[in-house]
Structure formats: C-alpha cells, structure tokens
C-alpha cells in the first residue's frame, strides 16, 4: 500500500470531531429537555448542560489519551498489552454487547418516533427493520466512506435546527424563563446527571483513534466534537423552556420535535415542519447507528481476525432486531435506554480510565 493510499484512508482531527458530534447528537437530543426540566424545574437547566458537558470533555480527554498511547492499534490489542489477553477478551466482548444494545435502542427509537410523526399506519416492526437493513448495507461497505458521510449530513442537520429555532423566536415568552437562578445545587447536579445520558457517543474515540492521521490530536478532536452538542443542547433547552415553560416541557415526550411543530412559515405555504425536521434528523441517527454497529464489527474482527465483516453483520443484525423489539411501551423503552447508558458508563468510561492509569503507572506504550 502506498503512502498516498494510506493517507487517504486516514481521518483528520476535524473529521474525528465531526464524527463525535454526529454520534452524540442522536435520539437523546429529542428527549433531554423533558428530563432536564423535570430535574431542575426551571430555566437554569442550561447550567446543568454546561456542567455535564465539561465532565464529558474531561472523560473524553482521558479516553483519547489512552488510545493515543497505542497508535494504529485496536482496543483489544492495547487492552491486551495493558492488562492481559483473557481480560482483554472479556472487556472487548462486553463492549460489543454494549454497542449492539445501543444500536437496538437507536433503531427502536427511529421506529417509535417515525410511527408517531410520519407513518401512522405502518407497524413499528417494519419501520425498525427497514432502517436496520439500510444501516446494515452501510456498515458492510467501506469504513472510511461511512465515516465521511458525517461531513455531508451534520451540516445539513445543524442548518435545519438553526432554521427551526429561528422561526420559534417569535413564540419565545420571557415570562416562561423567570425567575433566573432559582434552582438549588442539588437539582442542578441531578440535571447534570440526567443530561449526561445524552452525551453518550464520544467514547468512539477509543476505537477510531487508530484511523487518525495524527492520533495524538484525539484529545483536541473530542473537545471540538463535544463543543457542538454542548452549544446545541443549551440553545434547544433555552428555546424549549421559553416557548413551552418548564411545566409543559416536563409532560412532552419529545420536546424538540414539538418545538418544530410550533414553527409557522410566513405566508402559510408550508406546513408540517416537524415532518421535514424529523426526516432530516434521521440522517444523523443513521450515522449514529452505522458507527455503533461498525464498532461492534471492528472489535469482533480484532478478536477473530479470520472472520469476514459481512459474516459479523449478518449474524449480529437478527439479534439487534430481536432486542430492539423487546420494550412493549414507552416506559419500557426509556428504562431500556437508561440501563444501556449506565452499563456504558461503567464499561467505556470507568474501565478505560483504569486502563489508562495502569498504562501510565507501568509505562506501557505502543509503537506506531
């Protein structure tokens, strides 16, 4: 392989930042204003967004430093070097379960929301299956090509979000956000915990740093990638409270989509803005699902390098679909989401940080 061909297969710091932003801005952004308003009960929830975002940046920085110590090596390879192969097998296998569960959650979310806002008479099982088949097709192809879709999709999503917020400024009621700074520190910390669940995704730095041209820039990529969701979450929450009030936002299942429903284009020549908004939002959720499934395949391939990618995709897809169909209602669905997130916090936050500390203490490093 020539140096030029290798360079074409690598991704830059900015590209990695966009990937992190895209995978973070998923289903959570549609629901977090409800949970945050319930926790804080006030406009001050934006403070929780900042606190949680800064914590995510710190954790992401540590994860990036771990991956950067072992350039061009997979998670399984450097876990084996730091701990031992048996521990690496167990840890990587658990990561595969976590990423599979995350894909199941995302595709079921697509099914639920699409049925509620777009396809009223279509069974959620068919919507979910159709979306999974498209994700499956994407993952079987080129990994770099899949990651580069974020460069195309994320700007479109951000522009549509900006347009939605622009047209809701006329509905913003200053009385809904008063009084300012009325929340105590306990409710702000609870809000930080709640909104922290919506920052899941930046842990992809553990697995995709091996594809970066300059792995040592992974920490900067995490900071860049998380700055976009932090600003976006703050803005969306402020508008959701300003338009609906904290009491109303608490009772909305998907406050961000309901915000889009309030948009009225001048002249009345276009209605159902929320349909366009959600259709565009499917693009970023598609990228999120594709990356999580690709990470599952990447980790399995690192443990069993003689098995082809296509085989893993075809084997995993039925299991992912079966798990996605297990929640019977919205209560089960949101409980399922919380369980996955807490499992991930232990597995892909705490365990890698412990690996990083062990690597530093023992002086274990990889070689490019």
């Amino acid at each position: 392989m020539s140096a030029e061909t290798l360079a074409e297969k690598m991704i830059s710091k900015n590209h990695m930042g966009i990937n992190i932003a895209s995978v973070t801005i998923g289903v959570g952004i549609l629901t977090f204003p409800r949970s945050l308003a319930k926790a804080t009960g006030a406009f001050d929830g934006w403070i929780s967004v900042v606190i949680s975002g800064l914590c995510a940046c710190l954790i992401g920085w540590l994860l990036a430093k771990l991956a950067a110590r072992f350039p061009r090596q997979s998670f399984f390879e450097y876990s084996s070097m730091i701990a031992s192969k048996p521990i690496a097998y167990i840890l990587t296998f658990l990561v595969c379960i976590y990423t599979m569960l995350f894909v199941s959650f995302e595709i079921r979310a697509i099914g639920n929301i699409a049925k509620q806002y777009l396809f009223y008479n279509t069974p959620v099982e068919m919507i979910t299956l159709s979306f999974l088949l498209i994700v499956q097709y994407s993952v079987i192809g080129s990994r770099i090509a899949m990651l580069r879709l974020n460069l195309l999709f994320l700007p479109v999503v951000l522009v549509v979000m900006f347009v939605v917020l622009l047209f809701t400024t006329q509905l913003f009621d200053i009385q809904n956000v008063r009084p300012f700074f009325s929340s105590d520190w306990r409710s702000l910390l609870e809000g930080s915990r709640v909104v922290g669940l919506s920052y899941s995704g930046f842990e992809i730095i553990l697995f995709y740093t091996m594809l970066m041209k300059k792995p040592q820039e992974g920490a900067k990529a995490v900071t860049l990638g998380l700055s976009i969701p932090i600003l976006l979450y703050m803005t969306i929450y402020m508008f959701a409270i300003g338009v609906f009030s904290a009491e109303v936002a608490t009772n909305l299942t998907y406050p961000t989509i309901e915000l889009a429903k309030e948009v009225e284009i001048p002249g009345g020549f276009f209605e159902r803005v929320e349909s366009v908004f959600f259709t565009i939002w499917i693009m970023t959720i598609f990228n999120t699902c594709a990356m999580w499934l690709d990470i599952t395949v990447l980790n399995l391939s690192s443990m069993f390098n003689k098995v082809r990618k296509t085989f893993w995709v075809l084997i995993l897809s039925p299991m992912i679909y079966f798990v996605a169909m297990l929640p019977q209602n919205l209560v089960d669905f949101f409980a399922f989401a919380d369980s996955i997130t807490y499992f991930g916090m232990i597995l892909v936050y705490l365990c890698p940080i412990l690996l990083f500390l062990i690597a530093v203490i023992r002086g274990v490093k990889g070689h490019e």
Side-chain angles (χ1 to χ4, degrees), residues 181-329:
F181 305 110
S182 59
S183 302
D184 58 35
W185 64 272
R186 290 186 181 85
S187 61
L188 291 178
L189 288 180
E190 174 64 16
S192 299
R193 183 193 66 81
V194 168
V195 76
L197 307 181
S198 300
Y199 282 112
S200 297
F202 63 87
E203 56 268 27
I204 67 169
I205 194 68
L206 285 170
F207 315 103
Y208 284 148
T209 298
M210 61 184 291
L211 301 177
M212 292 184 68
K213 295 176 182 177
K214 298 179 180 179
Q216 65 274 16
E217 293 184 340
K220 295 180 181 178
V222 171
T223 304
L224 172 65
L226 284 174
S227 63
I228 297 174
I230 291 173
L231 293 174
L232 192 58
Y233 286 10
M234 283 178 59
T235 308
I236 289 176
Y237 183 75
M238 290 177 179
F239 273 83
I241 300 303
V243 173
F244 297 123
S245 79
E247 292 77 11
V248 175
T250 301
N251 296 302
L252 297 175
T253 306
Y254 303 107
T256 308
I257 299 180
E258 297 297 330
L259 197 63
K261 289 180 68 174
E262 298 296 319
V263 173
E264 295 182 3
I265 304 297
F269 65 91
F270 190 81
E271 297 180 354
R272 296 294 307 275
V273 176
E274 77 279 2
S275 298
V276 178
F277 169 78
F278 180 66
T279 303
I280 297 298
W281 210 264
I282 286 177
M283 296 192 304
T284 191
I285 300 178
F286 165 77
N287 281 340
T288 299
C289 289
M291 282 189 280
W292 282 121
L293 181 55
D294 181 66
I295 288 172
T296 308
V297 173
L298 180 65
N299 282 311
L300 288 171
S301 299
S302 66
M303 292 188 291
F304 311 100
N305 50 26
K306 292 184 179 180
V307 182
R308 297 182 61 185
K309 179 197 290 189
T310 305
F311 173 81
W312 287 124
V313 173
L314 295 177
I315 289 296
L316 295 176
S317 295
M319 292 186 285
I320 290 171
Y321 180 75
F322 173 76
V323 174
M325 292 295 103
L326 289 179
Q328 299 299 309
N329 49 51

Side-chain angles (χ1 to χ4, degrees), residues 23-32 102 105-110 113 198 233 254 256 281 284-285 288-289 333-334:
V23 76
T24 303
I25 303 171
V27 175
I29 199 171
L30 305 178
T31 60
F32 87 91
F102 217 105
F105 162 70
E106 295 280 343
I107 64 172
R108 179 58 187 271
I110 281 287
I113 301 172
S198 300
Y233 286 10
Y254 303 107
T256 308
W281 210 264
T284 191
I285 300 178
T288 299
C289 289
F333 173 71
F334 287 120

